[in-house]
Amino acid sequence: MAISKSRKSKSSRSAGKAGRSGNPARRAEQAAEAEAERLGRRVVAPGREASGSLFGGFAEHRRALDKKRMAAAARDVRPVIADLVSAGRSVSWVEDELCRRLGQVLAAQDAADDARRAAGAREILESYSPDQLAEALIDAVVLAASQTGAAAGELVERDGLGRLLCALARIVPYPAAETPQQAVEDLPDRAALLSAASAETSPTGSALWCRNVYGTRFAITAPFAGADGPDRWYLWDVDACGDRAYTVGAGYFADADQALASWREAVGLETSAEAVLEPVSDPRLAELLLPGPPDFFHPGGESEAQYAEFHRSRRLAQELRHTDFLDGIAGKSKAASAVRAQPVDKNTWIAEFAAWRAEQRPGADAVSVSYSVGDGDGPLTEAELYRELADSWCSSELPELSYGCSPHRIALRAAAIRDFYTDDFAAALLGLVPDVAAWLTERAGLAVWHRGRVLSYAEGASSLEVDLGFRADSDLAALHE
């Protein structure tokens, strides 16, 4: 049964969750419509008739806005370029320091935006995206490298710019990476400038992975060619508790053991101590877990450390996807072993849960007697609640994890329910969360301690009044569960 509009769609939905499409093209269109509405202009989707003057005015506004964003990004990368060019360090050092400095710049912009909102600013449209910052950096470094001559006083700068270009070519995702890569190739005396350094970032061995006891937090790691030293292992710490997978931590380590130890510390030893790295058994799932190409609407709320690896984590994921090193199945190529995921059968999910409740909660009606029927609504039924609960819990992006349950997943689902439904209907759905947690943790065979932790959290999340905890409802929260 479809839920009526009066039970869905709170008018007070947060800006961060206000119906943004999962399709990047549609998100861009939605952003354009939102800006046009703010400006009091009417903009229609491509293919429909529109007033040329209105559309022209909007396009001009967008160009002016992008020009401001790029100017701000260019301003903020100047000190980064100056410091790294003059550092006189190895390409590996420059690469790591470049990532760290970009993280500082992006985090500082977020902090400034937060301060402006606290001071009463309603909208902030001038902030640049991580991609725009990278674009401004590439433009500035490539231009400087092309203009630097061979005079004695410029040799140090040429060397520093060459190393910075090489580092850029190693961390920026494609297709943007093609520009610094070509600039490295075009450098005069490239061999002398970069000596043993290389812009090559291909993986040099097979990827390994593991997950925590809840099955919703993953470590994926693989070795990559070093810039001017030994190969290093890159780690993606992936949280798949939400509708999509998010890389909540990333970085290079000397070997796989160090990468695993870092991941265990971040996840919490209580839920990861027994995890062991092993060859990737499901390449399709691993590909979905790795970060994809960014767009202007990145998740938002990234920490400085997450911003630091924003570009490099995506570049190295691209590299890994385009090799057979993501496939750990012996004797099979990646293409042969990859299969299309089947969407979760929500009817089966609902039937299993309903049968569990009938056995474990005999006579317990899921519909509270205090539920108030809205105008135009029929009586609320258990079947209606179960359907909406399945829609909220099961991810179309990651159907393999539809039976996963953890404290963070409960927090994210509870926050989404509170945000999307009217209070009465949200309360009815949240009342089922403890039962869902009990069913899924029993189904997964979790140990008593882990099951008790999930059930305790589910009891708290089942109330509209309970505070879920700082950042608990953030997809990017790197939580100890």
Side-chain angles (χ1 to χ4, degrees):
M1 177 185 297
I3 302 303
S4 69
K5 189 173 182 179
S6 60
R7 290 175 182 166
K8 282 187 179 179
S9 305
K10 288 184 182 179
S11 60
S12 60
R13 297 175 68 193
S14 66
K17 300 176 181 176
R20 183 174 293 159
S21 170
N23 183 309
R26 176 58 187 146
R27 286 205 300 272
E29 184 180 315
Q30 286 176 330
E33 290 168 353
E35 286 190 17
E37 183 179 351
R38 185 184 74 82
L39 295 170
R41 299 186 174 99
R42 175 177 170 270
V43 176
V44 298
R48 302 177 187 173
E49 292 185 3
S51 164
S53 60
L54 289 178
F55 185 78
F58 174 71
E60 182 180 349
H61 166 72
R62 288 297 301 272
R63 285 193 294 270
L65 194 56
D66 279 338
K67 187 176 180 180
K68 286 184 179 180
R69 290 167 177 161
M70 291 303 296
R75 175 201 64 212
D76 290 346
V77 297
R78 286 190 197 109
V80 176
I81 295 171
D83 291 346
L84 296 184
V85 167
S86 62
R89 304 290 294 272
S90 69
V91 174
S92 292
W93 183 91
V94 173
E95 177 184 335
D96 292 343
E97 185 66 9
L98 174 59
C99 290
R100 190 182 71 83
R101 291 290 298 271
L102 291 179
Q104 287 181 338
V105 171
L106 289 166
Q109 177 182 241
D110 279 0
D113 288 348
D114 289 343
R116 291 163 65 189
R117 291 188 186 95
R122 295 187 59 186
E123 291 183 282
I124 301 172
L125 299 176
E126 295 81 11
S127 296
Y128 46 79
S129 70
D131 269 1
Q132 287 175 319
L133 182 65
E135 182 182 350
L137 178 63
I138 292 170
D139 288 348
V141 177
V142 170
L143 178 63
S146 68
Q147 293 178 339
T148 304
E154 296 176 303
L155 290 178
V156 173
E157 183 179 2
R158 284 181 59 196
D159 183 69
L161 285 167
R163 293 172 188 273
L164 181 52
L165 271 176
C166 191
L168 262 176
R170 292 177 56 86
I171 72 166
V172 179
Y174 289 104
E178 295 171 359
T179 300
Q181 284 177 342
Q182 187 59 54
V184 169
E185 292 296 321
D186 294 341
L187 282 172
D189 303 323
R190 176 170 59 91
L193 286 173
L194 298 178
S195 60
S198 171
E200 179 64 39
T201 54
S202 296
T204 57
S206 294
L208 305 174
W209 75 344
C210 62
R211 65 185 78 186
N212 66 352
V213 296
Y214 302 124
T216 54
R217 184 85 169 265
F218 294 78
I220 302 176
T221 185
F224 289 86
D228 44 19
D231 295 352
R232 296 191 292 176
W233 286 75
Y234 196 81
L235 169 73
W236 293 268
D237 176 1
V238 183
D239 190 310
C241 289
D243 290 328
R244 296 169 51 197
Y246 289 91
T247 298
V248 297
Y252 268 127
F253 295 88
D255 54 42
D257 289 339
Q258 289 188 22
L260 177 61
S262 176
W263 178 78
R264 282 175 172 165
E265 183 178 355
V267 173
L269 292 178
E270 297 87 351
T271 63
S272 66
E274 296 182 4
V276 177
L277 289 172
E278 58 187 11
V280 173
S281 56
D282 187 343
R284 196 207 73 86
L285 177 58
E287 285 199 49
L288 289 176
L289 293 173
L290 290 171
D295 56 30
F296 189 86
F297 298 108
H298 59 97
E302 290 90 344
S303 67
E304 184 175 315
Q306 288 169 338
Y307 270 138
E309 296 296 331
F310 187 93
H311 299 99
R312 183 160 61 178
S313 68
R314 286 162 172 80
R315 166 60 181 278
L316 296 182
Q318 287 178 329
E319 298 281 2
L320 192 56
R321 283 190 178 99
H322 286 85
T323 69
D324 289 334
F325 285 129
L326 192 59
D327 187 357
I329 303 175
K332 292 185 179 180
S333 70
K334 180 178 152 187
S337 62
V339 293
R340 183 179 297 276
Q342 296 298 316
V344 63
D345 184 345
K346 292 182 183 178
N347 291 330
T348 299
W349 194 96
I350 292 168
E352 284 190 41
F353 177 54
W356 183 91
R357 275 197 93 247
E359 179 181 349
Q360 300 294 326
R361 309 284 189 265
D365 193 341
V367 182
S368 169
V369 294
S370 64
Y371 180 80
S372 59
V373 177
D375 294 339
D377 288 338
L380 181 62
T381 66
E382 281 194 352
E384 195 174 356
L385 279 176
Y386 291 160
R387 173 59 57 181
E388 286 298 305
L389 190 62
D391 288 343
S392 297
W393 194 272
C394 300
S395 167
S396 59
E397 294 271 345
L398 297 166
E400 298 92 336
L401 305 182
S402 293
Y403 290 91
C405 187
S406 71
H408 193 204
R409 183 152 201 176
I410 289 169
L412 291 175
R413 294 303 89 209
I417 288 170
R418 296 176 187 202
D419 186 61
F420 189 67
Y421 298 96
T422 59
D423 285 347
D424 275 358
F425 196 80
L429 282 175
L430 290 172
L432 288 173
V433 168
D435 282 354
V436 171
W439 165 54
L440 290 176
T441 53
E442 179 183 301
R443 190 180 189 276
L446 291 185
V448 173
W449 188 89
H450 299 112
R451 191 162 188 256
R453 184 171 175 83
V454 174
L455 295 180
S456 175
Y457 203 89
E459 287 291 342
S462 65
S463 170
L464 285 170
E465 286 73 36
V466 170
D467 182 0
L468 297 179
F470 176 64
R471 292 197 75 209
D473 61 350
S474 166
D475 288 299
L476 286 165
L479 301 178
H480 279 207
E481 293 192 279

